[in-house]
Amino acid sequence: MAHFSRDDEAMLQAMLRQLFQSVKEKITGAPSLECAEEILLHLEETDENFHNYEFVKYLRQYICNTLGSMIEEEMEKCTSAQNQSEEFGYDTIVQHVTKRTQESKEYKEMMHSIKDIMMVVVESMLNKFEEDETRLQERQKKIQKQKSNSYCTDNCSDSDSSFNQSYKFCQGKLQLILDQLDPGQPKEVRYEALQMLCSAPPSDVLNCENWTTLCEKLTVSLADPDPVFSDRILKFYAQTFTLSPLHMTKEIYTSLAKHLELYFLSRENHIPTLSMGIDTTNPNVTRLLKKVRLLNEYQKEAPSFWIRHPEKYMEEIVESTLSLLSVKHDQSHLVSQKTMDPIYFLALVDAKAVWFNKWMHAYYSRTVLLRLLEKKYKSLINTAVQQCVQYFELCKTMKADATLRRSKHCGNKQKNLYYSGQELQYIYFIHSMCLLGRLLIYTHGRKLFPIKLKNKKDSVSLKDLLVLFIQLIYYSPSCPKMTLATHSENYSPASMVTEVLWMLCDQKECAIECLYNSTVIEALLQPIHSLMKGTEAASHCSETALIHIADVLARIASVEEGLILLLYGENMNSSEEENSTGAHIIAQFSKKVLDGDIPIFSGSEMLPLVIGAYISVCRQIYGTCEGLQVLLPYNLHESLAKAWRKTSLLSERIPTPVEGSDSVSSVSQQSQNIMACEENLLDALLNFAATPKGLLLLQRTGAIDECVTLMFNRYAKELQISRHKKFDYEVIVTQVASTAAGAIALQSSGFINALITELWTNLECGRDDVRVTHPRSTPVDPIDRSCQKSFLALVNLLSFPAVYELVGNEELPNKAEYSLREIPTYITDIIDRLIILNSEAKIRSLFNFEQSHIFGLRDFIIDSLSVERNHVLVRINLIGGPLERTLPPRMLDKGSNPYPWPMFSSYPLPNCYLSKVTRNTDIKQDNDLSKLLLRVKIPDKQTEWIESCRRQFCKIMKTKPDTISGDALVELLENFVFHVSETSCECYFPSVDYAATDANVKNESLSSVQQLGIEMTVRYGKFLNLLKDDAENHLSLVLKHCERFLKQQQAPLKSSLHILFQTYIGHDWFVSSLFLIMLGDKEKTFQFLQQFSRLLTSAFLWLPRLHSSKYLPVDTVESGIHPIYFCSTHYVEMLLKAEVPLVFSAFLMSGFAPSQICLQWITQCFWNYLDWIEICHYIATCVFLGPDYQVYMCIAIFKHLQQDILQHTQAQDLQVFLKEEALHGFRVSDYFEYMELLEQNYRPVVLRDMRSIRGQST
């Protein structure tokens, strides 16, 4: 301070004035004092001249003189210490030096000195400011006295400083500003008036009576040739847009739009022509673009608040915009001589028409916009369509014109200063296309078509416009060889068109009207046609264009309506060639590309991307049952497997990169590309498992283990990201777990291990990523919510083939001791630790014994332990349908006697659990049944007789179904099957000689599963009064005869699957059912089975019939998948999607497959799901009417259960409900007419496929 003189003070004041003058506009434009402070604090970041200000230079020099030597010393210390490898604990030397400097004594003294100096300077400046302000007020008073009619005489105070802006902006002051803004006033006066206007509160300006006049004056002032004045007017406009209410900004916006409209209509303004292009360095062009950009910025912001104001404000804004954009100059015959219209400049600042997208988003503004377009401004739509047509014609005639190269650069961020006419035409085309694309989304927007164009004879319809867009994909210039990283920033015409088509695909109603027709699909497939035929047009279609087309086709195929169009064409009943629909063409092309049969792609770097794109389309198709049926002839699974093996070999041959070598990056990139391609091909194969028949095809490729491993790796990654994220492959997991080979693949991949570990963690440990602030509450539900997801995942996995394959030959560990840290990893471990708790060691090893044990009991079939255990024991030991058995509840009742049910701990089962329904009552035969019985005994002409018997059977089932039971049912089945098996055209399998007697098979042994099944069958038969005391031995003999009889028809097979070892591994529930129907007569039962085995129906009702059968292709037998799964349940899923779509969607949402529950129903012949009479009707219906009725029966059940299924989907326990609950209220006869209707619609397809099981081989 001792050296701070008067001259120094004056110098610093001058420096500060220069600084404040430079940032004056930024500060005065700030809405509050806090904002002004923020602007000053961040001035270095926002002002490019910051370091050129004299005050900044002064401060820098002052710091250097005071702290320079100390900083240099610290730098030398740090440098020497760094050379000695000493660590400072900071990231850089700069950080260390900065910290030491700020902590130093010199720094604190310097800051104190600067503060004292600046306080003196600022105080002096404030005193001078007040003197200047007083003189200014006196001068203004003199001016007001001279213009007594122009100033206000009220109490408004002008004595406050202009910095706090607290005065009232009155009418007289506004009039003064109006006068000073007159073009005849000196420049300084006009600048000052505009500055006063900018500093006034917007509300005061708006409330003045002369506001309208001011708007008009501002509109005129916008055309002022003085660029500085014009810029200040624009800044006032921008400030008004930011700080003012809509009714004020509306006036400002419309005045700006009106100004621009007059500007473009005036012949005095030199508006560039297309041939001249636009030079953004030209001052006139710069000012014009600033005005257009300001207009566009407000266009994009206005929709966020205009709904809160009267519609007339919004309508004025919309109409002024459309009026401006509709301005047209006299059209020259030469496009290049055309004067550019306002739309070109708007497109330049908003190429993707974001303003139009926002205006069309809300119904409030969309209605007004579309009404004005239809009634007054349709020319705007016409010119947009015209621009697209012109650009397309240009592309057709100049496919590789160098003038279009700029549109070929994807994501080119280099700043253009000059735009040529061709570039402007392209930018306007992009704007027009985006505008039209948004217009087509809405119904009233589509009603604006067809469009009549100048110089065009025919109108442009919606189809014409969509075809034009599609043709632009493969006619327009494309990007250079792109990578996935740059694809998202691609601004080529093809990618822009693809974005618009995607947008249309995502709107269902729009897609149906615009895209889902044969004309559009043919346009999309045209380049594929050309490539396969090798025509000249094929050479003009790039790989990039093909990828864009595939992207659109994939969107179409992902929606039901689009998929149907691709599969069957626009007219499903037309006589066009079957292989001419979109799905066939896509499959043919994909197969050719996979097999390398298209020479034009030979050696192309883009080939893996093309393959991936079209396989993605195919995946959308064959991932559905109906799509797979269409694509079956092309054996895409074989081509994919072949391509995957080839790619896998390539990945093994990639050399290991040597460190320091130039080839490291190229080898690494090559490796990544091959691995991505290999994963893509595996994923495509995996998606075959989305359907039962597709899973069979996948297993035939031998790649199921690798596919399931890929799926598990993705599951593990998703767990790392979020435990709550829905797994995309849940349905595929369920499908895979329905087969033995699939279960093995899930086990070996680690999938089952991961699920069991997660379950054990939730039950016993609790998650380690959740902070525990208090003890967990004791669960009150049988399955706690924390374990629900793990529980359902296990339920999905535990189909009979999977359970047998995984635990069928395993023994329980039953260890003497269990460590608390020992975590189960296999299904047997869960059974051992949670279900079969037969030792103190097992109980002591559980932290949460009660909850874990309840879970275990529930998991096996599926509340206090004794209640749950009692329910499970009764359920296991009691056979019967919904009316034939009574199961104890799982929860305690309210009241004095909460659980009145006796505990079942030893035989016999308490009578209260046995149903009181009347069983095996004799029913009088009526005339219709007598006729049928007579008819089946005496056949006439075989074909007519069979049809006559079927008609009579249908009649009885629909009118008097209860008569088809007991002896009458035996007689019907015996006679009908006997005569049909003698009819060659009805026989599917050849006759087999069998001569074994009871003595021959008496000593043969049955599996423990079969023996347990016999006990259950006899117990159920006696409950129904159908069997006598010796029934157990008779049924045992029947089963032994059946095993020997079927063994004669089995092929020798070597397989690692337990399910394929020797005989059928489960109990034969169909034979047990026949044994009960035949009232325990073993001779009748086996004789019937011998005759029945010749019919196709036997393959689908009698599961052991085709176990390891020589009548099936070897690869089908080796897969271990039964025709019931890959044929019957496949069609159940296909028909369910068409007939009961809500149920089909419910299964998808639950991550559960209809095929798995159907397989369970059919395998156990609906035992425990239906009452005995309904089981008889199910068997009789399939025998009389054909095996396809098995499919229709399942569809009828799902239709019956629709409401229950939807409710349990919402409760997230659909799997449990379907596996545990009986089919309450379902009767075959109630749905007979519905099943007949299904037969009429689907039999040709379903029965044909059932008949082809013997030849379904690769």
Side-chain angles (χ1 to χ4, degrees), residues 475-526:
Y475 276 112
S476 62
S478 60
C479 289
K481 305 300 181 184
M482 63 185 179
T483 63
L484 292 176
T486 61
H487 188 252
S488 60
E489 297 181 354
N490 188 358
Y491 273 74
S492 70
S495 94
M496 298 301 297
V497 170
T498 303
E499 282 185 24
V500 170
L501 293 176
W502 282 354
M503 182 174 64
L504 299 181
C505 286
D506 292 340
Q507 307 295 321
K508 185 176 180 180
E509 185 181 344
C510 168
I512 291 172
E513 189 174 341
C514 296
L515 296 174
Y516 299 162
N517 57 77
S518 57
T519 305
V520 171
I521 298 299
E522 285 171 8
L524 283 167
L525 297 175
Q526 190 268 328

Side-chain angles (χ1 to χ4, degrees), residues 929 932-933 935-936 945-954 956-957 964 968-977 980 986 1088 1092 1095 1097 1101 1176-1189 1232 1243:
L929 183 59
L932 179 57
L933 289 170
R935 188 164 290 160
V936 295
W945 171 80
I946 292 170
E947 291 304 317
S948 177
C949 288
R950 287 171 175 163
R951 284 195 299 270
Q952 192 69 19
F953 173 80
C954 292
I956 297 172
M957 280 298 298
I964 301 181
L969 177 60
V970 175
E971 193 175 343
L972 283 173
L973 289 175
E974 278 187 313
N975 287 289
F976 183 77
V977 169
V980 170
E986 293 289 329
F1088 175 88
F1092 181 65
L1095 307 181
T1097 309
L1101 287 186
C1176 293
H1177 289 170
Y1178 158 68
I1179 293 172
T1181 299
C1182 292
V1183 170
F1184 270 86
L1185 303 181
D1188 51 329
Y1189 267 79
F1232 214 83
R1243 168 162 274 189

Side-chain angles (χ1 to χ4, degrees), residues 372-391:
L372 289 171
L373 283 172
E374 182 181 7
K375 293 183 176 179
K376 296 177 65 176
Y377 302 103
K378 195 170 181 179
S379 61
L380 191 63
I381 307 301
N382 292 2
T383 53
V385 175
Q386 183 73 51
Q387 181 64 20
C388 292
V389 172
Q390 287 178 357
Y391 184 78

Side-chain angles (χ1 to χ4, degrees), residues 454-488:
K454 293 182 180 178
N455 306 322
K456 292 285 183 181
K457 182 179 178 182
D458 299 325
S459 299
V460 178
S461 65
L462 277 175
K463 283 185 181 179
D464 297 332
L465 184 63
L466 267 298
V467 170
L468 183 142
F469 281 174
I470 292 165
Q471 290 177 331
L472 274 167
I473 293 177
Y474 43 86
Y475 276 112
S476 62
S478 60
C479 289
K481 305 300 181 184
M482 63 185 179
T483 63
L484 292 176
T486 61
H487 188 252
S488 60

Side-chain angles (χ1 to χ4, degrees), residues 785-1030:
R785 299 302 297 178
S786 64
C787 306
Q788 180 82 358
K789 185 177 178 182
S790 303
F791 170 67
L792 293 177
L794 275 182
V795 171
N796 289 349
L797 287 174
L798 301 180
S799 68
F800 176 73
V803 170
Y804 186 85
E805 198 64 36
L806 298 175
V807 306
N809 296 318
E810 300 288 330
E811 292 185 1
L812 294 181
N814 278 322
K815 297 180 182 179
E817 289 294 332
Y818 293 87
S819 168
L820 291 173
R821 296 181 179 275
E822 189 176 340
I823 297 177
T825 54
Y826 297 100
I827 300 290
T828 49
D829 295 340
I830 289 291
I831 298 171
D832 184 50
R833 301 288 300 279
L834 298 183
I835 301 172
I836 312 297
L837 298 183
N838 54 357
S839 70
E840 285 294 323
K842 294 181 182 180
I843 295 173
R844 287 196 302 268
S845 71
L846 297 175
F847 286 110
N848 301 307
F849 162 67
E850 186 167 328
Q851 181 193 358
S852 298
H853 189 26
I854 292 172
F855 182 94
L857 291 172
R858 189 74 187 272
D859 188 37
F860 217 12
I861 317 278
I862 298 264
D863 231 313
S864 165
L865 271 175
S866 57
V867 173
E868 181 69 23
R869 188 182 293 114
N870 191 49
H871 179 94
V872 170
L873 290 172
V874 173
R875 179 184 284 274
I876 291 173
N877 285 273
L878 190 58
I879 302 294
L883 298 177
E884 295 170 346
R885 65 175 180 172
T886 304
L887 297 176
R890 282 197 156 101
M891 299 180 69
L892 299 176
D893 296 331
K894 292 181 180 179
S896 58
N897 189 7
Y899 196 74
W901 304 89
M903 292 296 176
F904 173 42
S905 57
S906 61
Y907 289 109
L909 188 72
N911 291 329
C912 63
Y913 297 122
L914 301 175
S915 177
K916 301 297 189 294
V917 295
T918 306
R919 301 177 292 275
N920 196 30
T921 55
D922 292 327
I923 299 173
K924 269 190 172 183
Q925 292 183 9
D926 68 334
N927 291 333
D928 291 331
L929 183 59
S930 300
K931 289 179 184 177
L932 179 57
L933 289 170
L934 182 62
R935 188 164 290 160
V936 295
K937 290 178 183 176
I938 310 170
D940 300 328
K941 294 180 180 178
Q942 289 294 335
T943 307
E944 295 176 5
W945 171 80
I946 292 170
E947 291 304 317
S948 177
C949 288
R950 287 171 175 163
R951 284 195 299 270
Q952 192 69 19
F953 173 80
C954 292
K955 181 180 178 182
I956 297 172
M957 280 298 298
K958 287 185 284 188
T959 55
K960 301 168 185 176
D962 291 341
T963 60
I964 301 181
S965 61
D967 293 331
L969 177 60
V970 175
E971 193 175 343
L972 283 173
L973 289 175
E974 278 187 313
N975 287 289
F976 183 77
V977 169
F978 171 75
H979 293 298
V980 170
S981 63
E982 296 296 319
T983 307
S984 58
C985 63
E986 293 289 329
C987 291
Y988 185 77
F989 298 105
S991 177
V992 176
D993 293 331
Y994 181 76
T997 63
D998 290 353
N1000 298 134
V1001 300
K1002 187 176 182 179
N1003 295 325
E1004 292 185 3
S1005 60
L1006 294 173
S1007 68
S1008 58
V1009 176
Q1010 289 277 38
Q1011 291 169 2
L1012 182 60
I1014 290 170
E1015 294 175 16
M1016 297 171 74
T1017 301
V1018 172
R1019 193 160 64 241
Y1020 184 45
K1022 289 181 178 179
F1023 167 72
L1024 296 172
N1025 292 334
L1026 298 174
L1027 299 180
K1028 299 176 183 178
D1029 293 337
D1030 58 347

Side-chain angles (χ1 to χ4, degrees), residues 1-5 8 62 112-118 120:
M1 286 292 294
H3 303 288
F4 188 65
S5 64
D8 293 332
Y62 190 91
H112 183 72
S113 176
I114 289 177
K115 184 178 180 182
D116 290 343
I117 292 171
M118 296 313 300
V120 171

Side-chain angles (χ1 to χ4, degrees), residues 44 72 104 113 128 188 228 284 294 570 622 665 704 779 799 812 878 936 990 1083 1181 1215:
E44 184 177 8
E72 288 177 2
S104 68
S113 176
K128 192 174 187 308
E188 292 77 11
V228 178
N284 292 328
L294 181 60
E570 200 164 12
Y622 64 65
S665 59
I704 188 169
S799 68
L812 294 181
L878 190 58
V936 295
E1083 284 79 17
T1181 299
Q1215 298 93 316

